[in-house]
Amino acid sequence: MNGKFFVTTPIYYPSGKFHIGTAYTTVLADSIKRYHQLKGEDTYLLTGTDEHGQKIENKAEETGETPQEYVDRMAKMAKELWAKMEINYDDFIRTTEERHTKIVQKIFDRFMEQGDIYKGEYEGWYCIPCETYFTESQLVDGKCPDCGREVKKMKEEAYFFKMSKYADRLLKYYEEHPDFIKPEYRKNEMINNFIKPGLEDLCVTRTSFDWGIKVPKDPKHVVYVWLDALTNYITALGYLSDDDRLFKKYWPADLQIIGKDIARFHLIYWPIFLMALDLPIPKTILVHNWIVMKDGKMSKSKGNVIYPEELIDRYGLDPVKYFLLREMPVNQDGLFSPEAFVERYNFDLCNDLSNLVNRTVSMVNKYFDGKVPEYNGTPNEADKELEQYALKQIDAFDEKWNNYETANSIQEIWNLIARTNKYIDETMPWKLAKEEETEKLASCMYHLIENLRKIAILISPFMNDTAQNIFEQIGIKENDLKVWKNLKEYDRICNVKVIEKGNPIFMRLDTKEEIEYIKSIMK
Ligand code: MSP
């Protein structure tokens, strides 16, 4: 093993079906996990559901279920979606599980004992969907600054966490750990918008509803949903439990992935809670932007919601994952449009990738009876140039992927695909065959197969089924040839036979028809 990699997604509010935007975080986390697996690292991916709070209590009331029945049904739905999306998580934590609630109570007690939590009174403007109190000055046009909905004036006896005590330590931590927050501009947002103006103590209990973890020594209070939820990352690993082997092995997380709307909780409160517990802080928290539609945020009322299941049923899983990762820039929101989806499918997947596989396999069949020629050890100028280009692209992919610039890194793979297609046009194997340039033709076929092997490895973290399909079509069976270990080698393939009649991996879609179809499922 080369090392270990522990990655987490946020735990989801189970408030209905997840749309493709919500699925994005988990698809990204899963792909990053698979990439580290490919490199031979021991990996661990944690996800789950965030099941307490007033919002859930209200939802259950609407559906006529008890809150427990409601969250049970929702957690099942989430697991079914992740199974459909082949999300390879190692643990799914639910915040209503005893392994979590018991430890949250221990943590709360500890904070009380060490004086980080004290009792006071809270009065403010409360946004029920966001489960957050705001001060008058934080409201935007009298409404919630995060979601824009109505807020309610509320007052209650409450416990507070002394955030202010940790503000300087947090700033110092940011300064000394430049990799902690990615991309970097999110750090400046935190400093300028929240820390510099003065970090207020955080109200960490509620009495206005019941569906939460009870404060051990004062059970009319329930623990604020964010204090409850954030600790999932350590309770899932057995922190403070009888069996904390996973915690010892994996904490601190190498990477926590979150969407921009929950940055404040993860970049300010979470490291402060960890400091108060004397625990190490995750190495990196990656904040991604949102998938939005042409007319803005996805919402049922706008009739612009896309659910992953419906896209997967029609187009397969890999095109959906490809699209999500390929379309999300680092610094701004990624746009979903039916036109862009169909275009990516037809151009990137069908024209570029699928055709390359198809052309190559049929040429190896035609010119060498399906048997891939051996590497001749002395590549000619054109082949050498192709080799160098491929190696350069692998490094470019790797560097960008490790910096979590997924869209840019995937572009590097598609540059390699384009270059390999161009190599066919330039080398003109049909001409070499006609002129009986057998050695050149053999070397050309070898290089095409070798590049396809490399491409299949590179796409496997996010398009695993397609990668396996390519390996099968080009006759690669040995596991060692499907992972990172021999990725850069050029002389590994021997005794390999391509499939006799391979089916195209992706067939061209009728643009007009499919755009109409996607529009119809958005309504
Ligand atoms: N329950 C909290 C997280 C607690 S973590 C201790 C939560 N849940 S959520 O279900 O509302 O969101 C889950 C994730 O989906 C968040 O990272 C959120 O940013 C992300 N997304 C929700 N809509 C999204 C898009 N339209 N696009 C991309 N990500 C989106 O927040």
Side-chain angles (χ1 to χ4, degrees):
M1 286 290 170
N2 279 329
K4 60 155 192 72
F5 195 85
F6 174 41
V7 53
T8 73
T9 75
I11 46 169
Y12 285 73
Y13 279 131
S15 56
K17 262 172 86 169
F18 296 162
H19 56 61
I20 47 156
T22 347
Y24 173 77
T25 311
T26 305
V27 167
L28 176 62
D30 178 65
S31 306
I32 291 175
K33 171 191 166 164
R34 287 172 186 266
Y35 163 86
H36 284 275
Q37 258 178 336
L38 200 62
K39 289 200 156 178
E41 287 172 59
D42 169 30
T43 56
Y44 201 86
L45 167 61
L46 174 67
T47 189
T49 36
D50 180 3
E51 302 186 348
H52 288 126
Q54 183 151 26
K55 193 160 88 179
I56 303 285
E57 200 177 79
N58 293 353
K59 280 264 175 191
E61 217 175 271
E62 274 169 34
T63 56
E65 288 159 295
T66 63
Q68 191 62 53
E69 283 166 352
Y70 175 81
V71 293
D72 285 349
R73 187 164 61 80
M74 290 291 153
K76 186 165 163 275
M77 203 162 86
K79 285 182 179 172
E80 281 166 3
L81 175 63
W82 300 147
K84 191 170 178 108
M85 298 194 85
E86 294 176 14
I87 302 298
N88 207 347
Y89 58 79
D90 295 276
D91 193 4
F92 187 103
I93 185 156
R94 301 181 52 191
T95 53
T96 49
E97 286 173 275
E98 208 200 351
R99 63 169 170 154
H100 175 74
T101 55
K102 231 169 51 187
I103 306 303
V104 171
Q105 290 182 321
K106 277 194 190 176
I107 291 174
F108 196 96
D109 272 348
R110 177 162 164 194
F111 286 159
M112 284 290 291
E113 276 157 30
Q114 62 191 36
D116 281 319
I117 288 183
Y118 62 93
K119 201 170 184 175
E121 197 174 62
Y122 197 88
E123 188 176 352
W125 294 97
Y126 192 66
C127 173
I128 296 177
C130 296
E131 321 248 13
T132 310
Y133 265 111
F134 296 99
T135 57
E136 186 92 38
S137 63
Q138 285 174 316
L139 301 180
V140 176
D141 297 333
K143 301 223 167 97
C144 170
D146 286 348
C147 73
R149 280 178 270 212
E150 294 291 336
V151 287
K152 227 167 114 183
K153 183 105 185 205
M154 302 215 320
K155 186 174 169 178
E156 54 184 313
E157 177 193 90
Y159 290 84
F160 289 84
F161 186 97
K162 282 187 188 160
M163 286 292 161
S164 45
K165 175 177 150 190
Y166 292 91
D168 289 341
R169 248 177 94 181
L170 183 65
L171 283 175
K172 191 156 175 272
Y173 189 86
Y174 283 179
E175 217 177 280
E176 288 170 358
H177 297 83
D179 284 339
F180 175 50
I181 299 175
K182 283 194 177 166
E184 209 194 338
Y185 73 92
R186 296 285 178 196
K187 178 174 80 186
N188 302 331
E189 278 177 10
M190 293 301 124
I191 297 175
N192 298 332
N193 299 349
F194 303 109
I195 308 178
K196 284 258 170 78
L199 205 50
E200 283 174 25
D201 289 353
L202 179 74
C203 178
V204 288
T205 57
R206 301 287 184 264
T207 48
S208 50
F209 60 90
D210 203 37
W211 183 243
I213 301 174
K214 303 243 176 308
V215 170
K217 295 192 179 87
D218 199 353
K220 72 171 188 296
H221 293 263
V222 294
V223 177
Y224 173 46
V225 74
W226 275 102
L227 173 56
D228 164 352
L230 285 164
T231 51
N232 90 86
Y233 301 124
I234 51 180
T235 60
L237 296 178
Y239 173 63
L240 294 185
S241 77
D242 296 339
D243 181 359
D244 64 356
R245 279 173 299 177
L246 285 175
F247 180 73
K248 286 198 170 115
K249 181 169 179 192
Y250 289 110
W251 194 259
D254 294 281
L255 177 66
Q256 300 205 260
I257 304 179
I258 55 162
K260 62 179 180 180
D261 54 319
I262 53 176
R264 179 161 52 108
F265 304 100
H266 282 82
L267 303 179
I268 296 178
Y269 303 150
W270 179 224
I272 287 181
F273 290 147
L274 288 168
M275 282 173 185
L277 290 170
D278 258 328
L279 290 178
I281 287 166
K283 289 177 202 151
T284 297
I285 296 189
L286 172 67
V287 186
H288 64 71
N289 289 290
W290 271 30
I291 303 269
V292 293
M293 312 302 271
K294 272 187 194 143
D295 49 352
K297 255 170 97 165
M298 258 179 270
S299 83
K300 274 192 205 153
S301 55
K302 279 192 199 158
N304 64 357
V305 183
I306 283 276
Y307 297 107
E309 293 94 332
E310 288 168 330
L311 282 182
I312 295 168
D313 285 343
R314 187 143 176 123
Y315 305 107
L317 175 60
D318 285 2
V320 176
K321 287 190 175 177
Y322 174 75
F323 185 87
L324 288 178
L325 297 182
R326 185 71 183 76
E327 284 292 322
M328 180 67 97
V330 190
N331 292 342
Q332 66 204 73
D333 289 338
L335 190 70
F336 180 93
S337 75
E339 293 80 5
F341 183 85
V342 175
E343 192 165 301
R344 287 256 174 239
Y345 192 106
N346 277 345
F347 287 96
D348 301 9
L349 301 182
C350 184
N351 283 10
D352 297 345
L353 178 61
S354 184
N355 276 354
L356 177 62
V357 177
N358 221 251
R359 285 163 100 186
T360 304
V361 167
S362 48
M363 285 191 290
V364 176
N365 272 315
K366 185 166 172 193
Y367 303 132
F368 294 95
D369 277 338
K371 211 174 161 297
V372 178
E374 308 273 297
Y375 188 63
N376 73 7
T378 50
N380 59 40
E381 200 68 357
D383 298 347
K384 185 106 211 139
E385 201 242 79
L386 185 73
E387 286 184 15
Q388 277 160 358
Y389 185 82
L391 298 182
K392 185 170 87 48
Q393 289 314 103
I394 293 170
D395 287 343
F397 164 81
D398 207 34
E399 195 194 318
K400 291 182 178 160
W401 183 274
N402 277 317
N403 205 27
Y404 306 119
E405 293 171 45
T406 34
N408 292 342
S409 65
I410 294 171
Q411 175 65 53
E412 301 294 355
I413 308 176
W414 256 257
N415 289 346
L416 175 59
I417 295 171
R419 181 69 194 89
T420 311
N421 269 318
K422 193 162 159 240
Y423 166 83
I424 300 181
D425 301 338
E426 286 168 359
T427 316
M428 294 187 276
W430 48 92
K431 205 167 150 230
L432 295 177
K434 216 164 143 194
E435 291 166 1
E436 294 184 12
E437 293 262 25
T438 317
E439 200 168 320
K440 274 194 186 158
L441 184 63
S443 181
C444 171
M445 291 303 118
Y446 182 88
H447 280 81
L448 288 176
I449 293 289
E450 184 52 89
N451 270 17
L452 279 177
R453 179 180 80 90
K454 294 178 182 352
I455 290 161
I457 294 173
L458 294 172
I459 64 169
S460 65
F462 51 93
M463 293 176 79
N464 189 42
D465 295 343
T466 305
Q468 300 315 318
N469 190 334
I470 296 175
F471 289 134
E472 202 188 313
Q473 298 216 22
I474 63 174
I476 301 287
K477 296 202 171 68
E478 222 181 293
N479 280 337
D480 258 12
L481 293 180
K482 298 179 183 173
V483 292
W484 199 273
K485 203 164 92 183
N486 293 312
L487 173 64
K488 288 190 166 183
E489 309 298 327
Y490 252 101
D491 55 356
R492 293 283 163 156
I493 300 178
C494 55
N495 259 335
V496 160
K497 227 175 154 331
V498 300
I499 205 164
E500 226 167 280
K501 177 100 196 70
N503 288 324
I505 307 176
F506 299 105
M507 301 280 266
R508 211 181 156 74
L509 301 174
D510 181 306
T511 306
K512 205 166 153 253
E513 210 172 283
E514 298 310 319
I515 289 175
E516 282 314 309
Y517 176 78
I518 298 173
K519 283 186 178 160
S520 77
I521 59 173
M522 275 159 66
K523 292 204 175 102

